[in-house]
C-alpha cells in the first residue's frame, strides 16, 4: 500500500512544473531586434501560433488538476494498480510541454495535430480509468462534473483528430471546447438545484 497524500503531493508538483514549462516556447526569436514600437508589436502579434497552444495546454492541465482535486477519497492508502495508473497519468502530464511545442511550431501539419490531440485523448482515457479505480470515493455532484470534464476532453480530442484530415489549421480550435467545462458545470448545477 502507498500513501495517497504522497501521490497527491507529487501530482501537484508535476502539474505545477508542466504548466510552467509550457510558456518557455512562447518567446521572440533570438535574432529579433525591433527598431521601433511597431516592429515590437508585430513581433508580439506573430507569437499567436505559439500562444494559442500554450493557452489550450494550460487550460487542459488546469482543468485536469481541478478535476483531480475534486475527487474526494476517504482512502489514506492506495494499491499498486492505482499507483501504476497514476504514474502513467503523470508521465502523460509531463509530456504536455513537448506536444505543445510541436503543435505550436508545426500546427499547420496534420501529424502535429495527431500527436497533440492523441496525447490529450490518452490523458482523458487514463484519467477516466483512475476515476473507476479510486478507492473509497465520496459520492456527490463532483463525480459527475469530473466525468463530464473528461468526456469533453475525449470528444474535443476526437474532433481535432477528425478535423486534421479536413483542415489541420482549424483542428486545434476543436480543443477550445474544453473551456466550456466550467459553463457546463454551472449549467448542470443550476439544473440540479431547480429540480
Amino acid at each position: 500500500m502507498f500513501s495517497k497524500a504522497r501521490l497527491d503531493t507529487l501530482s501537484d508538483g508535476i502539474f505545477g512544473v508542466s504548466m510552467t514549462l509550457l510558456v518557455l516556447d512562447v518567446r521572440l526569436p533570438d535574432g529579433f531586434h525591433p527598431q521601433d514600437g511597431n516592429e515590437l508589436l508585430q513581433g508580439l502579434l506573430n507569437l499567436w501560433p505559439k500562444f494559442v497552444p500554450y493557452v489550450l495546454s494550460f487550460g487542459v492541465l488546469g482543468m485536469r488538476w481541478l478535476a483531480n482535486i475534486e475527487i474526494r477519497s476517504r482512502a489514506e492508502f492506495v494499491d499498486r494498480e492505482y499507483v501504476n495508473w497514476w504514474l502513467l497519468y503523470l508521465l502523460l502530464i509531463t509530456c504536455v510541454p513537448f506536444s505543445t511545442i510541436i503543435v505550436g511550431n508545426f500546427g499547420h501539419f496534420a501529424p502535429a495535430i495527431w500527436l497533440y490531440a492523441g496525447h490529450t485523448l490518452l490523458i482523458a482515457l487514463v484519467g477516466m480509468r483512475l476515476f473507476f479505480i479510486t478507492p473509497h470515493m465520496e459520492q456527490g455532484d463532483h463525480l459527475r462534473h469530473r466525468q463530464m470534464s473528461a468526456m469533453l476532453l475525449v470528444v474535443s480530442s476526437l474532433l481535432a483528430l477528425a478535423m486534421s484530415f479536413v483542415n489541420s489549421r482549424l483542428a486545434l480550435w476543436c480543443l477550445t471546447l474544453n473551456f466550456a467545462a466550467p459553463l457546463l458545470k454551472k449549467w448542470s448545477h443550476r439544473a440540479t438545484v431547480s429540480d
Side-chain angles (χ1 to χ4, degrees):
M1 300 299 283
F2 301 90
S3 168
K4 183 152 184 349
R6 297 286 303 268
L7 280 178
D8 291 341
T9 302
L10 175 64
S11 299
D12 287 346
I14 285 177
F15 271 89
V17 169
S18 295
M19 293 169 83
T20 302
L21 289 176
L22 291 171
V23 78
L24 295 180
D25 194 48
V26 182
R27 60 190 165 141
L28 294 166
D30 291 335
F32 182 71
H33 303 290
Q35 300 301 314
D36 59 30
N38 287 334
E39 283 185 26
L40 175 60
L41 183 59
Q42 187 58 47
L44 292 171
L45 291 173
N46 289 339
L47 289 176
W48 81 268
K50 292 184 179 197
F51 191 75
V52 169
Y54 161 71
V55 170
L56 284 173
S57 295
F58 192 91
V60 166
L61 288 177
M63 284 185 257
R64 294 297 91 223
W65 181 77
L66 286 171
N68 292 335
I69 63 171
E70 277 186 328
I71 297 299
R72 297 174 194 105
S73 172
R74 291 183 302 277
E76 292 182 31
F77 296 93
V78 292
D79 62 14
R80 170 62 75 181
E81 179 188 15
Y82 184 88
V83 169
N84 289 341
W85 280 99
W86 195 254
L87 289 174
L88 175 60
Y89 184 73
L90 294 178
L91 172 71
L92 293 170
I93 297 303
T94 62
C95 293
V96 170
F98 171 73
S99 61
T100 302
I101 288 170
I102 298 300
V103 82
N105 289 324
F106 308 107
H108 52 286
F109 295 128
I113 301 297
W114 302 340
L115 174 68
Y116 188 80
H119 189 180
T120 57
L121 179 62
L122 278 174
I123 288 171
L125 294 175
V126 172
M128 290 170 77
R129 174 67 181 147
L130 282 165
F131 173 81
F132 289 112
I133 64 171
T134 299
H136 309 294
M137 267 195 293
E138 293 180 13
Q139 300 300 309
D141 284 343
H142 61 280
L143 295 179
R144 191 177 74 245
H145 298 302
R146 171 131 193 249
Q147 289 173 318
M148 185 173 38
S149 175
M151 285 306 300
L152 193 56
L153 185 55
V154 168
V155 168
S156 65
S157 297
L158 290 173
L159 280 172
L161 285 167
M163 179 60 83
S164 71
F165 290 98
V166 178
N167 185 335
S168 57
R169 292 185 187 274
L170 294 178
L172 196 59
W173 293 100
C174 294
L175 289 157
T176 60
L177 289 173
N178 288 290
F179 292 107
L183 298 174
L184 290 173
K185 181 178 177 180
K186 192 174 185 177
W187 175 77
S188 75
H189 177 70
R190 283 184 184 165
T192 304
V193 170
S194 66
D195 288 341

